Amino acid sequence: MYIVLLGAPGAGKGTQASRMAEQIGLAHVASGDLFREALSNRTELGLLAKSYMDRGALVPDEVTIRMIFERVALPDCAKGVILDGFPRTIAQAEALDRTLAGQGKNIDLVLYIKVSEDELLSRLGGRWLCRRCQAPYHIKSAPPKVAGVCDVCGGELYQRTDDSMETARNRLVVYFDQTAPLIEYYQTKGKLVEVDGEQEIEAVTRELVDVVRARQVQK
Ligand code: ADP
Ligand code: AMP
Protein backbone atom coordinates (compact mmCIF):
# COMPACT_ATOMS: atom_id res chain seq x y z
CA MET A 1 0.00 0.00 0.00
CA TYR A 2 1.18 3.50 -0.83
CA ILE A 3 -0.39 6.14 1.39
CA VAL A 4 0.29 9.88 1.18
CA LEU A 5 -0.36 12.10 4.22
CA LEU A 6 -1.18 15.58 2.99
CA GLY A 7 -1.52 18.66 5.17
CA ALA A 8 0.10 21.94 6.09
CA PRO A 9 3.16 22.19 8.35
CA GLY A 10 1.89 21.47 11.86
CA ALA A 11 -1.22 19.56 10.72
CA GLY A 12 -0.05 16.43 12.54
CA LYS A 13 1.40 14.38 9.67
CA GLY A 14 4.45 13.17 11.61
CA THR A 15 2.42 12.45 14.74
CA GLN A 16 -0.17 10.46 12.82
CA ALA A 17 2.23 8.72 10.42
CA SER A 18 4.24 7.14 13.22
CA ARG A 19 1.08 6.02 15.08
CA MET A 20 -0.41 4.62 11.86
CA ALA A 21 2.84 2.91 10.83
CA GLU A 22 2.82 1.06 14.15
CA GLN A 23 -0.84 0.03 13.90
CA ILE A 24 -0.88 -0.91 10.20
CA GLY A 25 2.67 -2.23 9.85
CA LEU A 26 3.88 0.03 7.04
CA ALA A 27 7.14 1.99 6.82
CA HIS A 28 7.01 5.71 7.69
CA VAL A 29 9.07 7.87 5.33
CA ALA A 30 9.26 11.59 6.17
CA SER A 31 11.12 13.85 3.75
CA GLY A 32 11.80 16.49 6.42
CA ASP A 33 13.30 13.86 8.76
CA LEU A 34 15.54 12.60 5.92
CA PHE A 35 16.82 16.13 5.26
CA ARG A 36 17.42 16.74 8.99
CA GLU A 37 19.24 13.38 9.29
CA ALA A 38 21.43 14.29 6.29
CA LEU A 39 22.19 17.62 7.91
CA SER A 40 23.14 16.08 11.25
CA ASN A 41 25.54 13.79 9.30
CA ARG A 42 26.95 16.92 7.58
CA THR A 43 26.45 15.38 4.10
CA GLU A 44 26.39 17.45 0.91
CA LEU A 45 22.63 16.81 0.65
CA GLY A 46 22.08 17.99 4.23
CA LEU A 47 24.05 21.20 3.75
CA LEU A 48 22.22 21.96 0.51
CA ALA A 49 18.82 21.28 2.15
CA LYS A 50 19.69 23.54 5.10
CA SER A 51 19.98 26.60 2.87
CA TYR A 52 16.31 26.11 1.87
CA MET A 53 14.94 24.83 5.19
CA ASP A 54 16.33 27.79 7.12
CA ARG A 55 14.18 30.11 4.98
CA GLY A 56 11.13 27.86 5.05
CA ALA A 57 11.50 27.30 1.29
CA LEU A 58 11.19 23.97 -0.48
CA VAL A 59 14.29 22.01 -1.43
CA PRO A 60 14.45 21.68 -5.27
CA ASP A 61 12.26 18.92 -6.72
CA GLU A 62 15.06 17.01 -8.43
CA VAL A 63 17.07 16.57 -5.21
CA THR A 64 13.99 15.73 -3.12
CA ILE A 65 12.61 13.22 -5.62
CA ARG A 66 15.97 11.40 -5.86
CA MET A 67 16.27 11.19 -2.06
CA ILE A 68 12.74 9.79 -1.61
CA PHE A 69 13.05 7.21 -4.39
CA GLU A 70 16.33 5.93 -2.94
CA ARG A 71 14.64 5.63 0.47
CA VAL A 72 11.50 3.80 -0.69
CA ALA A 73 13.63 1.31 -2.63
CA LEU A 74 14.97 -0.06 0.69
CA PRO A 75 13.67 -3.47 1.89
CA ASP A 76 11.64 -2.11 4.83
CA CYS A 77 9.36 -0.36 2.31
CA ALA A 78 8.55 -3.53 0.34
CA LYS A 79 5.09 -3.97 1.94
CA GLY A 80 4.19 -0.32 1.48
CA VAL A 81 4.86 3.14 2.77
CA ILE A 82 3.24 6.07 4.52
CA LEU A 83 4.71 9.17 2.89
CA ASP A 84 4.84 12.19 5.20
CA GLY A 85 5.79 15.55 3.69
CA PHE A 86 6.20 14.19 0.15
CA PRO A 87 4.96 15.05 -2.45
CA ARG A 88 4.82 18.81 -1.82
CA THR A 89 4.59 20.07 -5.42
CA ILE A 90 2.68 18.97 -8.51
CA ALA A 91 6.02 18.04 -10.16
CA GLN A 92 6.84 15.74 -7.21
CA ALA A 93 3.38 14.14 -7.39
CA GLU A 94 3.74 13.53 -11.13
CA ALA A 95 7.21 12.02 -10.66
CA LEU A 96 5.81 9.72 -7.95
CA ASP A 97 2.90 8.63 -10.18
CA ARG A 98 5.27 7.94 -13.11
CA THR A 99 7.75 5.94 -11.02
CA LEU A 100 5.07 3.84 -9.32
CA ALA A 101 3.33 3.20 -12.65
CA GLY A 102 6.67 1.96 -14.05
CA GLN A 103 6.69 -0.65 -11.23
CA GLY A 104 3.04 -1.63 -11.79
CA LYS A 105 2.02 0.16 -8.56
CA ASN A 106 0.02 3.25 -7.68
CA ILE A 107 -0.97 5.44 -4.75
CA ASP A 108 -3.85 3.82 -2.88
CA LEU A 109 -4.92 6.70 -0.66
CA VAL A 110 -4.19 10.33 0.03
CA LEU A 111 -5.25 11.33 3.53
CA TYR A 112 -5.65 15.08 3.85
CA ILE A 113 -5.40 16.26 7.47
CA LYS A 114 -7.22 19.58 7.59
CA VAL A 115 -6.36 22.15 10.29
CA SER A 116 -7.07 25.92 10.46
CA GLU A 117 -4.25 28.43 10.05
CA ASP A 118 -4.39 29.78 13.64
CA GLU A 119 -4.17 26.28 15.06
CA LEU A 120 -1.23 25.44 12.74
CA LEU A 121 0.76 28.41 14.04
CA SER A 122 0.07 27.53 17.66
CA ARG A 123 1.10 23.90 17.03
CA LEU A 124 4.37 24.89 15.33
CA GLY A 125 5.16 27.45 18.06
CA GLY A 126 4.74 24.83 20.82
CA ARG A 127 6.36 21.87 19.05
CA TRP A 128 9.31 20.02 20.60
CA LEU A 129 11.03 17.05 18.96
CA CYS A 130 13.34 14.31 20.11
CA ARG A 131 16.84 14.83 18.74
CA ARG A 132 17.41 11.06 18.65
CA CYS A 133 14.13 9.44 17.45
CA GLN A 134 12.21 12.49 16.08
CA ALA A 135 9.13 11.79 18.26
CA PRO A 136 7.00 14.98 18.31
CA TYR A 137 5.65 16.65 21.46
CA HIS A 138 3.71 19.82 22.18
CA ILE A 139 3.98 21.98 25.31
CA LYS A 140 0.19 21.97 25.74
CA SER A 141 -1.48 19.21 23.72
CA ALA A 142 1.18 16.45 23.93
CA PRO A 143 3.71 17.23 26.69
CA PRO A 144 6.43 14.70 27.58
CA LYS A 145 6.21 13.02 31.02
CA VAL A 146 9.49 14.70 32.04
CA ALA A 147 10.22 18.18 30.64
CA GLY A 148 12.88 18.13 27.92
CA VAL A 149 13.13 14.30 27.81
CA CYS A 150 11.64 11.95 25.18
CA ASP A 151 9.13 9.42 26.61
CA VAL A 152 10.06 6.89 23.90
CA CYS A 153 13.87 6.80 23.99
CA GLY A 154 15.03 9.22 26.71
CA GLY A 155 16.60 11.51 24.08
CA GLU A 156 16.88 15.28 24.46
CA LEU A 157 14.00 17.42 23.17
CA TYR A 158 14.60 20.52 21.04
CA GLN A 159 12.67 23.14 19.08
CA ARG A 160 13.24 23.37 15.32
CA THR A 161 14.69 26.74 14.26
CA ASP A 162 12.26 26.78 11.30
CA ASP A 163 9.35 26.65 13.80
CA SER A 164 10.12 30.27 14.79
CA MET A 165 7.06 32.46 14.13
CA GLU A 166 8.62 34.22 11.15
CA THR A 167 9.79 31.07 9.33
CA ALA A 168 6.61 29.17 10.24
CA ARG A 169 4.52 31.91 8.62
CA ASN A 170 6.69 31.69 5.53
CA ARG A 171 6.28 27.91 5.41
CA LEU A 172 2.50 28.33 5.47
CA VAL A 173 2.69 30.79 2.54
CA VAL A 174 4.79 28.22 0.64
CA TYR A 175 2.31 25.50 1.56
CA PHE A 176 -0.73 27.40 0.25
CA ASP A 177 1.13 28.37 -2.91
CA GLN A 178 2.91 25.13 -3.87
CA THR A 179 1.41 22.22 -1.91
CA ALA A 180 -2.30 23.01 -1.48
CA PRO A 181 -2.89 22.50 -5.27
CA LEU A 182 -2.24 18.79 -4.59
CA ILE A 183 -5.62 18.61 -2.83
CA GLU A 184 -7.38 19.11 -6.15
CA TYR A 185 -4.80 17.01 -8.01
CA TYR A 186 -5.63 13.95 -5.89
CA GLN A 187 -9.35 14.78 -5.58
CA THR A 188 -9.64 14.63 -9.37
CA LYS A 189 -8.01 11.19 -9.32
CA GLY A 190 -10.54 10.00 -6.70
CA LYS A 191 -7.81 9.27 -4.12
CA LEU A 192 -8.37 11.99 -1.53
CA VAL A 193 -10.04 11.47 1.85
CA GLU A 194 -10.30 14.50 4.16
CA VAL A 195 -10.02 14.11 7.92
CA ASP A 196 -10.66 16.76 10.60
CA GLY A 197 -7.20 17.26 12.11
CA GLU A 198 -8.46 19.42 14.99
CA GLN A 199 -9.76 16.48 16.98
CA GLU A 200 -7.68 14.92 19.75
CA ILE A 201 -4.61 13.03 18.50
CA GLU A 202 -6.15 9.59 19.29
CA ALA A 203 -9.41 10.44 17.50
CA VAL A 204 -7.56 11.53 14.35
CA THR A 205 -5.53 8.29 14.37
CA ARG A 206 -8.70 6.21 14.79
CA GLU A 207 -10.32 7.90 11.80
CA LEU A 208 -7.23 7.56 9.61
CA VAL A 209 -6.68 3.89 10.50
CA ASP A 210 -10.37 3.13 9.83
CA VAL A 211 -10.12 4.66 6.35
CA VAL A 212 -6.97 2.63 5.58
CA ARG A 213 -8.49 -0.63 6.89
CA ALA A 214 -11.64 -0.08 4.81
CA ARG A 215 -9.46 0.44 1.73
CA GLN A 216 -7.41 -2.70 2.52
CA VAL A 217 -10.62 -4.74 2.55
CA GLN A 218 -11.59 -3.39 -0.90
CA LYS A 219 -8.17 -4.29 -2.40
P1 ADP B 1 3.54 17.95 10.87
O1 ADP B 1 4.37 16.68 10.76
O2 ADP B 1 2.34 17.91 10.00
O3 ADP B 1 4.37 19.19 10.64
P2 ADP B 1 3.45 17.28 13.72
O4 ADP B 1 2.96 15.87 13.72
O5 ADP B 1 4.89 17.50 14.02
O6 ADP B 1 3.01 18.04 12.35
O7 ADP B 1 2.54 18.09 14.77
C1 ADP B 1 2.76 19.48 15.00
C2 ADP B 1 2.59 19.79 16.48
O8 ADP B 1 1.22 19.66 16.81
C3 ADP B 1 3.35 18.85 17.40
O9 ADP B 1 3.80 19.61 18.49
C4 ADP B 1 2.30 17.82 17.84
O10 ADP B 1 2.57 17.31 19.14
C5 ADP B 1 1.02 18.65 17.84
N1 ADP B 1 -0.18 17.90 17.41
C6 ADP B 1 -0.27 16.99 16.44
N2 ADP B 1 -1.54 16.53 16.29
C7 ADP B 1 -2.28 17.23 17.19
C8 ADP B 1 -3.69 17.24 17.54
N3 ADP B 1 -4.57 16.45 16.91
N4 ADP B 1 -4.09 18.09 18.50
C9 ADP B 1 -3.21 18.90 19.13
N5 ADP B 1 -1.89 18.93 18.87
C10 ADP B 1 -1.42 18.11 17.90
P1 AMP C 1 8.94 19.14 7.41
O1 AMP C 1 9.75 18.39 8.42
O2 AMP C 1 8.03 18.25 6.60
O3 AMP C 1 8.21 20.31 8.02
O4 AMP C 1 9.97 19.74 6.36
C1 AMP C 1 10.99 20.64 6.77
C2 AMP C 1 11.62 21.30 5.56
O5 AMP C 1 12.26 20.32 4.72
C3 AMP C 1 10.65 22.04 4.62
O6 AMP C 1 10.34 23.35 5.06
C4 AMP C 1 11.46 22.03 3.32
O7 AMP C 1 12.50 23.00 3.34
C5 AMP C 1 12.11 20.64 3.36
N1 AMP C 1 11.23 19.63 2.72
C6 AMP C 1 10.62 18.58 3.34
N2 AMP C 1 9.91 17.87 2.45
C7 AMP C 1 10.07 18.47 1.24
C8 AMP C 1 9.57 18.21 -0.06
N3 AMP C 1 8.75 17.17 -0.32
N4 AMP C 1 9.94 19.05 -1.06
C9 AMP C 1 10.78 20.08 -0.83
N5 AMP C 1 11.27 20.40 0.38
C10 AMP C 1 10.92 19.59 1.42
Side-chain angles (χ1 to χ4, degrees):
M1 261 201 136
Y2 273 80
I3 298 171
V4 170
L5 283 193
L6 193 59
K13 300 181 298 297
T15 301
Q16 296 302 334
S18 73
R19 295 168 60 88
M20 290 171 73
E22 208 171 282
Q23 294 188 26
I24 305 167
L26 297 179
H28 170 197
V29 172
S31 44
D33 287 351
L34 293 175
F35 285 131
R36 281 183 290 278
E37 190 186 326
L39 179 59
S40 74
N41 292 330
R42 312 296 296 168
T43 66
E44 208 177 304
L45 170 70
L47 295 172
L48 172 80
K50 179 177 163 39
S51 62
Y52 295 91
M53 292 165 87
D54 281 350
R55 289 183 277 130
L58 295 184
V59 179
D61 285 336
E62 201 191 309
V63 177
T64 306
I65 289 166
R66 195 174 334 120
M67 174 186 75
I68 287 289
F69 290 165
E70 281 173 15
R71 175 66 188 85
V72 299
L74 297 181
D76 66 317
C77 294
K79 276 200 209 148
V81 185
I82 301 173
L83 289 170
D84 156 12
F86 182 92
R88 246 170 161 110
T89 63
I90 296 281
Q92 291 179 13
E94 288 173 346
L96 181 61
D97 283 344
R98 266 197 312 274
T99 301
L100 290 179
Q103 301 169 356
K105 299 177 188 159
N106 60 22
I107 290 168
D108 296 278
L109 259 180
V110 178
L111 298 165
Y112 167 42
I113 306 178
K114 191 172 180 184
V115 172
S116 68
E117 207 168 328
D118 284 350
E119 174 69 11
L120 291 170
L121 285 170
S122 111
R123 287 192 189 176
L124 294 173
R127 171 159 67 181
W128 288 75
L129 289 163
C130 175
R131 226 178 256 293
R132 203 185 295 158
C133 75
Q134 318 297 326
Y137 296 87
H138 190 275
I139 37 167
K140 289 198 191 125
S141 60
K145 291 192 181 96
V146 179
V149 181
C150 177
D151 293 353
V152 182
C153 74
E156 178 203 4
L157 303 187
Y158 78 105
Q159 284 190 290
R160 281 169 49 177
T161 50
D162 62 344
D163 279 348
S164 70
M165 212 25 81
E166 194 193 337
T167 312
R169 279 188 201 284
N170 199 27
R171 285 161 63 212
L172 290 188
V173 170
V174 169
Y175 168 78
F176 287 113
D177 183 40
Q178 302 198 49
T179 308
L182 290 177
I183 297 168
E184 200 189 325
Y185 177 88
Y186 286 121
Q187 217 158 26
T188 309
K189 291 178 184 286
K191 300 202 184 273
L192 195 90
V193 176
E194 182 178 312
V195 168
D196 174 9
E198 296 202 24
Q199 308 170 78
E200 303 248 311
I201 291 174
E202 290 73 15
V204 179
T205 312
R206 221 174 301 125
E207 214 173 307
L208 292 170
V209 169
D210 283 352
V211 174
V212 175
R213 295 234 158 96
R215 189 60 58 102
Q216 280 174 323
V217 171
Q218 286 168 14
K219 269 192 99 178

